[in-house]
Structure formats: C-alpha cells, structure tokens
Amino acid sequence: MTVSSVDSTSNVSSVSTSTSTSMMTKNSPLDKNAFLKLLVTQLQYQDPLNPMNDTDFIAQLAQFSSLEQMQNLNENLKAIGSELMDSIDNLSLGLSVINDNIISIAKDILDKIDGLRSNLPDELKSNIEAIEELTNIKKGHESYL
C-alpha cells in the first residue's frame, strides 16, 4: 500500500493566493463574505495532523467580527447622513416658504402705510417728513459718538 504525501501548506497558500488574486482583480474591498470564504477554505484544507493554532483561529474570528461591525457601522453612518441631508433639505424648503411669507406680509404692510400716507393732509405729511429727518440726524449723531 502506497501513501502519497499531502502538503496542506501549499494547498492553503494556493487557495489563499487564488482567492486574494480574484479579489484584487475585481478592485473591490475584502468584504465579510470573502473573508468568511477564505477562513472556511483555510479550515477545509488544513493538515489534520497539524491543525491551525487555536490563537490564530480566534484572532481570525475576531478580525471577522471587527470587519462585520465596521461594515454595519459604515452602513448606519450612511443612513444617518442620508436622513440628515433629507432633514436639511426639508428645513431649507420650510425656511424658504417662511421667508416668502414674511416678504409678502412686509410688502402688504408697506403698501398699506403708503396708502395711509397718501390720504393724509399735506400739513401732516410735512410733519412726518420733519420727524423722519430729525430721527435720521439723531441716529447719525449717535453712531458718530
């Protein structure tokens, strides 16, 4: 009976190399599914007489867990950013409507004031102009001090 030697190290390294090469050619980052496939492939092709060290396996599982948590965090941040942008758009639209309403109301008030002024007798109009002129002079004097 002949027993042929199996070199698990070369199998694992060839699988790792081919998986890494296929990942690099796609120009995509190593996601959790690819990382998990690589880990399962390493376990599948390991030497049964010399299995993977426990600490190495735990370290790889910890890396997988960290990768998954970072991707979930990234997705949550993207969702929060999208919601924030939607809120800003809604706020901007609301402020625009409020601004338009304020401008419209201010124009109506100014039109009513102009209408009231036109109905005043000339003597009151001249008194109002004199008061406005004195007010402007006072403001100029206060700003000078």
Side-chain angles (χ1 to χ4, degrees), residues 25-82:
T25 56
K26 293 179 183 176
N27 288 332
S28 65
L30 189 64
D31 64 348
K32 60 184 174 185
N33 292 331
F35 191 85
L36 189 58
K37 276 184 180 179
L38 182 61
L39 185 62
V40 168
T41 304
Q42 282 180 336
L43 289 174
Q44 186 178 12
Y45 288 104
Q46 73 178 341
D47 182 7
L49 300 175
N50 185 17
M52 183 186 296
N53 189 358
D54 289 348
T55 56
D56 292 340
F57 184 70
I58 291 171
Q60 287 181 349
L61 284 177
Q63 287 175 343
F64 175 73
S65 177
S66 295
L67 174 67
E68 186 176 23
Q69 289 174 0
M70 283 190 299
Q71 286 179 338
N72 291 341
L73 180 64
N74 189 26
E75 289 173 10
N76 289 341
L77 285 176
K78 283 181 184 178
I80 289 171
S82 176

Side-chain angles (χ1 to χ4, degrees), residues 103-121:
I103 290 172
S104 174
I105 291 169
K107 285 181 182 178
D108 289 344
I109 290 172
L110 290 174
D111 289 343
K112 288 180 182 180
I113 289 173
D114 287 339
L116 289 175
R117 274 194 180 175
S118 64
N119 293 334
L120 292 176

Side-chain angles (χ1 to χ4, degrees), residues 3-4 16 41-42 60 77 83 93 106 117 124 127 141-142:
V3 177
S4 61
S16 298
T41 304
Q42 282 180 336
Q60 287 181 349
L77 285 176
E83 290 176 11
L93 178 64
R117 274 194 180 175
L124 284 177
N127 288 342
H141 180 68
E142 287 173 354

Side-chain angles (χ1 to χ4, degrees), residues 89-104:
D89 289 342
N90 290 338
L91 181 62
S92 176
L93 178 64
L95 290 175
S96 174
V97 169
I98 290 171
N99 187 33
D100 291 344
N101 286 341
I102 290 173
I103 290 172
S104 174

Side-chain angles (χ1 to χ4, degrees), residues 117-136:
R117 274 194 180 175
S118 64
N119 293 334
L120 292 176
D122 289 336
E123 186 179 325
L124 284 177
K125 285 182 191 177
S126 64
N127 288 342
I128 290 173
E129 288 173 4
I131 291 172
E132 287 174 345
E133 186 176 333
L134 289 173
T135 304
N136 289 335

